[in-house]
Every structure is written in C-alpha cells, then in structure tokens.
Amino acid sequence: MAKKLVIKVTAGADAPERCSQAFTVAAVAAASGVEVSLWLTGESSWFALPGRAAEFELPHAAPLPDLLDSVLAAGRITLCTQCAARRDITEKDVLEGVRIAGAQVFVQEAVADEAQALVY
C-alpha cells in the first residue's frame, strides 16, 4: 500500500457524488494512518473557505464539514493557486491549516516514492 495518498478533487456542488467520494476517501485514509494530501481545485476550491462545506448536501453521505475536519486533523489540505486566484481567494480567507500552492508542488507530491495519486 502507498504510504502517501495524494487526492485531487475537482468537483464541488456541481458534481456532489464525485466530490463526496474524494473527501470520504481522504478522511478514511487519514483515519487509517495513511499520510493524506487533499488538493482542492476547480469548484471544490470553495470548501477552503469557512462555512462553505456546511452548505454542501448529499443524501446518505457523511457531512462534508466532518470529512474536511478529519483530513485537516490528520493530513494536509491544499488549495490550488490558480483556482484560488480565479475566485479571488487569498491566504487570509481560507480555513486555518489550508495552504495555497501550485502545480509544481502537486506534481512533486504525486510522483514521490511510495505515493499514490487519485483525481476525482
């Protein structure tokens, strides 16, 4: 099994099942002791902002704020630099513990030894 799981989620409220799947896999992996790096890109970028995850609803799915908190507690969450800029999101806007970084950092994490990358 990979020692690090790098997950890029591109979906938000526009594709709720795909979004929820990414957050669920990230939270379960983190709870299982896997090193997790969750990347918020595209429409999932909004979940880097306080309160936005609470607006997300999907029947029969774990609450997104709980999944987000689980990943923040045991892993790392990164907001894509370009995605943040397109939405006028800055470092002062995001949840505590969320960093903003670009493609170079994503690629570095994704191709690291013993890393597995997933894109939702």
Side-chain angles (χ1 to χ4, degrees):
M1 174 168 26
K3 290 186 179 178
K4 183 171 188 177
L5 189 57
V6 182
I7 300 171
K8 179 186 274 194
V9 55
T10 63
D14 60 325
E17 287 185 297
R18 192 162 28 109
C19 177
S20 180
Q21 289 167 3
F23 277 86
T24 299
V25 168
V28 169
S32 300
V34 175
E35 184 181 346
V36 173
S37 178
L38 178 64
W39 283 73
L40 305 178
T41 68
E43 286 303 299
S44 72
S45 299
W46 296 112
F47 300 128
L49 298 174
R52 292 302 284 265
E55 298 172 7
F56 180 87
E57 293 184 17
L58 181 63
H60 310 290
L64 199 63
D66 294 349
L67 298 173
L68 184 65
D69 288 345
S70 294
V71 177
L72 275 171
R76 166 176 272 158
I77 296 182
T78 305
L79 172 60
C80 163
T81 302
Q82 291 181 11
C83 299
R86 281 191 282 276
R87 290 161 180 81
D88 293 321
I89 299 172
T90 68
E91 288 184 1
K92 66 179 171 55
D93 300 320
V94 299
L95 294 164
E96 185 176 339
V98 173
R99 70 175 176 168
I100 297 177
Q104 178 185 2
V105 177
F106 175 78
V107 170
Q108 188 176 32
E109 288 185 7
V111 300
D113 290 340
E114 300 187 27
Q116 173 68 50
L118 303 173
V119 178
Y120 286 87

